[in-house]
Amino acid sequence: MARYCENCGAELSENAKFCSNCGVSVTGTANDDGAGAAAENGSFTSSDAVKIAGTVAGVAAGASLLRWLTRPRRPRHPGPGPMGGPGGPGGPHGGRF
């Protein structure tokens, strides 16, 4: 006789203690109709909370990365060129300072 997870409805193996699909403990709580009992009564499980927290964290990280990639950039100071800047070999002091 087939057993099904009450949380997600996935089929369970004979000696399973946890659902291989959603990770919920299934010892002594199997459902033979294939429809998850949690989905029927609208209960909220800790695995749902973990999924939501992960999604929120991922969206926040993605938004932060997108903001960083699209930030306005200030032009860089060119710095000394191939002949050097002031005080370099091509500078106004001829490299003496």
Side-chain angles (χ1 to χ4, degrees), residues 58-70:
V59 168
S64 178
L65 178 64
L66 183 63
R67 182 178 165 105
W68 183 79
L69 289 173
T70 59

Side-chain angles (χ1 to χ4, degrees), residues 3-79:
R3 296 181 350 156
Y4 297 94
C5 174
E6 288 186 0
N7 185 49
C8 69
E11 188 171 353
L12 303 170
S13 63
E14 288 295 320
N15 55 358
K17 293 183 181 180
F18 297 94
C19 176
S20 61
N21 187 43
C22 68
V24 172
S25 175
V26 295
T27 51
T29 57
N31 188 344
D32 287 335
D33 64 358
E40 291 174 7
N41 64 15
S43 65
F44 187 76
T45 64
S46 61
S47 65
D48 294 334
V50 170
K51 290 175 188 176
I52 291 170
T55 301
V56 169
V59 168
S64 178
L65 178 64
L66 183 63
R67 182 178 165 105
W68 183 79
L69 289 173
T70 59
R71 73 191 186 283
R73 292 175 180 84
R74 288 184 259 157
R76 292 182 170 201
H77 182 67

